[in-house]
Every structure is written in structure tokens, then in C-alpha cells.
Amino acid sequence: MLRVVFLISGQGSNLRAFLDSCAEGMIPATVVAVGADSEAPGLDHARHFDIPTFVEPLERGGDRDEWGTRLGDRIDTFTPDLVILSGFLRLVPPSFVRRFAPMLLNTHPAYLPDFPGVHAVRDAFEAGVTETGASVIVVDEGVDTGPILAQRHVPVVDGDTESTLHNRIKIVERELLAHVVRDIANRETAIEES
Ligand code: GRF
């Protein structure tokens, strides 16, 4: 079983879908811990499954490298094979990336390289595109610039709001993430050092 640590910042609906799929035997992985940068509501999904949680905040004006080291030390106590950022809204420092990459994934609500950054859905919506998408990438030291492991387009439909569009994108994000982790666990996808 692939040991996974998940990091979130908010509702954790992608985390919940991942946990449900693991519980149903659809993904040969076990989430060994869920971390957050604040007391995120999504941590309750981990508690529901009796999975350990931890919170490692980056204080205002705090040193990002030191925070990254603390966060990494917390993660390492769970000896994960893979770390997944999904809805984790903090930029991790390069030292953190070097510590965990390439087994460090991020889900992103756009068809990269289009619309990187934390406002990807809003940016796509305001740009008036007719389709955007979802991507699963390996985290590198840039902002959403790492190797793309899977991605799919999602159409923008009449009547969409940023929120309805994001909800449809998240459904695709969850499918892509499940697919990627399944392939890694089954060794059908080899993630190379970049
Ligand atoms: C996802 O779209 C993720 O890619 C983005 O934030 C959303 C997280 O949603 N960065 P949730 O917390 O899993 O509900």
C-alpha cells in the first residue's frame, strides 16, 4: 500500500473523495496523515476515518524556509511514499520541494500551463474562455510549473458562476488524482527526478 500524506487548507472535498475511494478499495493507497496550515474544516474528514492530523501554521512575517522544515519534519514522522497537496494554499519553499520531490504532487483547477496560481478558476472565468480544465502535476520550485502527469479539459457552460465551474472542475481533479495515484501504486507511472 502506498503511504500518502495529504495537505489541505480548506474544505478538503478532494481529500474526502480520495479517502472514500481508498476505503472502497478503488485506490491502493492509505492516507497515513492529513496536515494543514490552519485549523481547516477539511481536517474533519481525516478525523472521520481516524487518520492523524496536524497543523503547521506559517505565522505572518514568519520565515518560510523554517516553516517548510517544520512542515517537512511533521510529514516525515509518518514515513510517506507520496505527499499530495490538494487545495493547500501556501507556497512551499524550494527546500521543501527538494526534500519530497518528485514524490510530491499537486492538483490544480486549470489546464496548465494556462491559469497557474491560486485564482486559477477566477482567472479562467474572467478571461471568458470556453473551456478550462484540471491538472495533476509534480511540484517543482515554480508556481504550478512542474511536470504534468494528467490533465483534462472542462467546458465553461452558459449560466456558470465561478463556483459552479469550480465544482465541476473538482470532480475531474478527483478522477485524475485517483488515476495518477493508482498508476503510481501499480508502478505504471514512474516519476523521475527532474
Ligand atoms: C481544488 O480545486 C484545488 O485544486 C484548489 O483548491 C480546491 C480545493 O478544494 N487549489 P477542496 O478543499 O478539496 O474542497
Side-chain angles (χ1 to χ4, degrees):
M1 277 289 190
L2 204 65
R3 294 172 63 83
V4 175
V5 168
F6 230 90
L7 296 184
I8 62 167
S9 292
Q11 297 302 319
S13 65
N14 286 355
L15 165 69
R16 181 56 185 246
F18 192 89
L19 292 172
D20 286 339
S21 296
C22 290
E24 288 161 12
M26 309 290 284
I27 304 174
T30 176
V31 177
V32 290
V34 177
D37 58 318
S38 66
E39 207 22 77
L43 290 173
D44 283 343
H45 299 305
R47 294 179 185 125
H48 176 83
F49 285 90
D50 288 325
I51 293 168
T53 63
F54 60 91
V55 174
E56 195 56 64
L58 172 58
E59 307 300 347
R60 185 184 287 264
D63 184 302
R64 189 173 293 273
D65 280 318
E66 285 175 11
W67 166 73
T69 301
R70 288 197 304 276
L71 182 65
D73 289 348
R74 289 286 200 111
I75 292 170
D76 264 345
T77 62
F78 297 99
T79 58
D81 302 305
L82 184 66
V83 178
I84 297 174
L85 316 184
S86 191
F88 188 63
L89 300 178
R90 292 283 182 186
L91 191 63
V92 290
S95 54
F96 182 94
V97 174
R98 286 193 295 271
R99 186 167 175 176
F100 293 103
M103 300 307 276
L104 178 62
L105 308 185
N106 184 36
T107 69
H108 184 76
Y111 199 91
L112 291 168
D114 292 342
F115 307 113
V118 287
H119 300 300
V121 181
R122 185 186 312 162
D123 292 346
F125 195 68
E126 289 179 354
V129 292
T130 55
E131 62 176 9
T132 176
S135 307
V136 176
I137 65 171
V138 178
V139 178
D140 71 0
E141 293 182 22
V143 177
D144 301 321
T145 51
I148 295 165
L149 298 179
Q151 60 185 167
R152 200 189 307 157
H153 281 114
V154 175
V156 181
V157 300
D158 282 349
D160 254 346
T161 62
E162 187 184 324
S163 159
T164 58
L165 177 59
H166 198 169
N167 286 338
R168 279 208 323 289
I169 291 172
K170 284 198 210 178
I171 293 168
V172 177
E173 269 184 77
R174 293 167 198 154
E175 289 173 7
L176 293 176
L177 181 63
H179 179 80
V180 164
V181 175
R182 213 177 289 131
D183 280 359
I184 292 171
N186 295 332
R187 299 182 193 282
E188 285 166 19
T189 295
I191 301 186
E192 311 281 337
E193 251 351 298
S194 57

